[in-house]
Amino acid sequence: MTNVSRETLVRELLLASRRMFQGTLASVKRACGKENCRCAKGHLHGPHTYLTLTKTNGRRTGMYIPNDAEPDAKRAVDAWKQFWDAATSLSDLNREE
């Protein structure tokens, strides 16, 4: 483990927590289900971006992300990864003491 201070890790946790989503982004093509639509012949709609989340009850849900919000959603998912990395580093530091 690198020599990172507890204060630095807590600051990273606080910063990341302000803008994070725990989830996964996926680019999806879908059929709408209309029998006369082009997608019924294999020309699917999309790709569209979805954020897959796991709720506190363990159930998964998806959330459509508009194209203009995709960069913000990616930053929010990346912030979760930073939060998780800082939290596990802090946990490692606590075990060492």
Side-chain angles (χ1 to χ4, degrees):
M1 181 173 144
T2 60
N3 197 7
V4 180
S5 74
R6 180 180 314 283
E7 292 77 19
T8 299
L9 292 170
V10 170
R11 253 191 314 261
E12 287 180 25
L13 288 170
L14 289 172
L15 182 62
S17 71
R18 293 184 184 136
R19 61 186 196 289
M20 68 183 184
F21 287 146
Q22 180 185 11
T24 305
L25 289 174
S27 182
V28 178
K29 290 186 174 188
R30 292 193 167 176
C32 66
K34 295 178 185 173
E35 126 183 359
N36 293 329
C37 184
R38 68 186 179 97
C39 67
K41 297 174 182 72
H43 301 287
L44 301 177
H45 300 284
H48 301 288
T49 301
Y50 284 84
L51 175 67
T52 302
L53 304 164
T54 303
K55 295 181 177 182
T56 54
N57 64 6
R59 295 189 61 155
R60 293 181 148 224
T61 187
M63 176 184 202
Y64 170 70
I65 304 295
N67 288 341
D68 61 334
E70 193 172 329
D72 290 335
K74 181 167 179 4
R75 281 191 291 275
V77 169
D78 289 343
W80 168 258
K81 292 175 187 164
Q82 292 172 344
F83 180 88
W84 184 256
D85 289 344
T88 55
S89 293
L90 185 58
S91 178
D92 290 346
L93 184 62
N94 289 340
R95 279 194 303 274
E96 290 172 4
E97 291 180 351

